[in-house]
Amino acid sequence: MQTNRPLAEALRPKKPEEVFGQDELLSSNGLLRHMFNSKSVSSLIFWGPPGSGKTTLARMLASNADADFIEISAVTSGLADVRKIVEHARQNQRLKTDTVLFVDEIHRFNKAQQDAFLPHVESGLITLIGATTENPSFEVIRPLLSRARVVVLKPIGNSDMSKIIARASKNLKLGGKLTKQAIDTIVTLSHGDARSALGNLELAVKLARGQKITKDTIEQAAQTVAPAYDKKGDSHYDIVSAFIKSMRGSDEKAACYYLARMLQAGEDPKFIARRMVIFASEDIGLAASAALNLAVSTFLAAERIGMPECQYNLFHCAAVLAKAPKSREATDLMASAIDLAKRFPNASVPLWIRNAPTELMKDLGYGKDYQWQAGFKPKDSFLPQEMTESECRA
């Protein structure tokens, strides 16, 4: 093993039997297993979290199919690079060699850059394998998705992660120096990311200086795990959704947990407060109208006080909203009213509730029989005559 190569790179699997995790894809009936058995590869979009094996599987598929493997990152590459690769692929074609282009973080390419692949994928000049941590439905253009199969990779499970660490320990000849507690700590801190796990182990070995590697050594190597929270990515929307749904389900503990995760990841407290202002009317509404006042006050507190002190206000509000009674009546009334306004945009206001500032208007029936008293029950509807009762209910 070269000393300048990261452990995760040095131990990267070379054949399917060495891969831990992704059993569904590599089982006897799995999609990737069929490709390995047939020594072929199709255009694919690997969608999965960091360290789940996207690059490893792409390299193995290309090697197994005896194809020329070209790897680029959408972060550092552009259209000029794509054109050079296409010309290289044409040369390969003349030599009867297939070309597999692997694009890491393909979601970073804009629409025009992704469009550049289409004719060459369509013609079979290149086989495209894209890797992304973001939902391809939103980040990859539809024409490209129609020409490639989306393959979902899952985070590495704890059992498989333990096997990866055991394999690395054997390769590093650690023997009994790596304690069971240390292995469990690596697995826990990796959160399904094999690259992160091996990186933590590699640094822990250096810190131990030949001594036993303990739980404390691993924690020292790992330090603080950065939250997987991109403000424009799937994780952001997933956690925000979980926060709202936990409040809706009256689970204050879960709501506060997701709130804490957002704050730890650096989310703008005003964004969180805005969501709670909306929630107070949308999901609590008439059941506890005072919730809106609390939510608005929380937003003002977050705006004027800022972090970290406004955390008290945010958690206070989230707990109250979660425990409050829920009602969608105001939301349903809003939806119904908007629907009616779209269906009857020019319906005439009944004469009896129109303003009557002149005698002529009064003579024409404006404001006739209207009573200025609370709870007044008129004989006619407040709604325009064009709307029947059945239409109003709809």
Side-chain angles (χ1 to χ4, degrees):
M1 203 177 73
Q2 297 177 18
T3 56
N4 62 336
R5 294 176 69 199
L7 182 61
E9 181 64 29
L11 297 183
R12 192 183 294 275
K14 300 295 190 298
K15 51 188 178 180
E17 292 70 24
E18 297 175 353
V19 175
F20 294 111
Q22 316 311 333
D23 293 341
E24 186 176 335
L25 297 172
L26 294 170
S27 66
S28 58
N29 294 320
L31 171 66
L32 299 187
R33 176 61 66 179
H34 285 303
M35 290 188 183
F36 281 117
N37 291 342
S38 63
K39 293 187 177 296
S40 63
V41 57
S42 303
S43 290
L44 304 167
I45 301 294
F46 283 145
W47 175 26
S52 56
K54 299 185 290 295
T55 303
T56 295
L57 290 170
R59 290 180 182 179
M60 288 168 53
L61 285 167
S63 175
N64 184 68
D66 293 324
D68 184 15
F69 184 77
I70 302 174
E71 181 176 345
I72 63 173
S73 171
V75 176
T76 57
S77 303
L79 283 174
D81 301 288
V82 175
R83 293 190 189 99
K84 291 178 182 177
I85 291 167
V86 169
E87 182 57 36
H88 181 77
R90 289 197 177 101
Q91 295 176 13
N92 280 341
Q93 193 176 54
R94 288 192 286 270
L95 297 171
K96 308 296 184 183
T97 300
D98 293 330
T99 303
V100 173
L101 172 60
F102 177 70
V103 182
D104 195 17
E105 299 191 84
I106 192 171
H107 60 277
R108 303 280 187 180
F109 271 152
N110 60 34
K111 182 180 183 298
Q113 290 169 316
Q114 292 185 35
D115 277 335
F117 295 120
L118 290 177
H120 311 299
V121 173
E122 182 73 29
S123 68
L125 179 65
I126 61 173
T127 299
L128 176 68
I129 301 180
T132 178
T133 56
E134 303 298 332
N135 190 331
S137 301
F138 304 124
E139 304 296 340
V140 179
I141 60 174
R142 186 171 296 277
L144 200 54
L145 285 178
S146 70
R147 292 164 173 80
R149 179 78 175 269
V150 175
V151 178
V152 180
L153 276 67
K154 300 176 181 177
I156 307 298
N158 288 352
S159 176
D160 285 320
M161 191 66 76
S162 295
K163 295 175 183 176
I164 291 172
I165 300 304
R167 177 171 175 261
S169 176
K170 182 178 179 181
N171 186 278
L172 295 172
K173 299 179 181 179
L174 296 179
K177 292 180 181 178
L178 185 63
T179 66
K180 175 65 168 60
Q181 193 178 33
I183 294 175
D184 292 341
T185 303
I186 295 174
V187 171
T188 300
L189 294 178
S190 70
H191 300 288
D193 184 338
R195 188 185 301 107
S196 172
L198 292 173
N200 288 337
L201 174 61
E202 183 177 21
L203 182 54
V205 170
K206 294 177 181 178
L207 293 174
R209 298 177 180 274
Q211 302 301 310
K212 184 166 289 189
I213 301 170
T214 65
K215 176 177 180 289
D216 291 339
T217 314
I218 299 300
E219 289 179 343
Q220 183 183 0
Q223 294 296 312
T224 301
V225 179
Y229 189 88
D230 180 348
K231 291 185 181 180
K232 294 184 180 179
D234 289 342
S235 180
H236 163 78
Y237 295 107
D238 289 343
I239 294 176
V240 171
S241 175
F243 173 59
I244 297 298
K245 289 181 173 66
S246 296
M247 290 195 296
R248 185 175 294 145
S250 300
D251 189 331
E252 66 274 14
K253 185 174 181 179
C256 288
Y257 163 71
Y258 292 114
L259 170 57
R261 283 187 59 177
M262 286 189 284
L263 291 174
Q264 287 176 5
E267 183 58 82
D268 184 352
K270 295 193 293 295
F271 167 80
I272 300 171
R274 279 195 296 271
R275 298 302 305 169
M276 291 196 287
V277 172
I278 296 167
F279 181 88
S281 288
E282 181 182 9
D283 288 278
I284 295 175
L286 303 183
S289 296
L292 179 58
N293 292 333
L294 174 62
V296 172
S297 297
T298 301
F299 177 82
L300 293 174
E303 185 178 49
R304 296 175 183 179
I305 297 173
M307 287 288 285
E309 289 83 357
C310 73
Q311 289 183 99
Y312 292 105
N313 312 115
L314 294 171
F315 281 98
H316 173 189
C317 185
V320 171
L321 297 186
K323 294 170 72 103
K326 308 299 189 294
S327 170
R328 300 277 294 183
E329 185 178 354
T331 300
D332 294 340
L333 283 169
M334 178 182 72
S336 175
I338 291 172
D339 177 62
L340 286 173
K342 289 179 179 178
R343 289 162 53 203
F344 301 95
N346 300 307
S348 301
V349 176
L351 288 175
W352 71 275
I353 55 173
R354 293 190 191 185
N355 192 29
T358 68
E359 288 299 322
L360 176 61
M361 288 176 154
K362 291 178 182 177
D363 293 341
L364 292 173
Y366 281 50
K368 184 180 179 181
D369 297 329
Y370 180 75
Q371 302 294 318
W372 290 85
Q373 61 187 50
F376 166 60
K377 300 294 184 183
K379 62 180 181 178
D380 297 317
S381 173
F382 285 93
L383 288 168
Q385 189 175 354
E386 294 97 311
M387 301 181 191
T388 64
E389 289 187 3
S390 61
E391 286 174 329
C392 293
R393 283 196 296 270

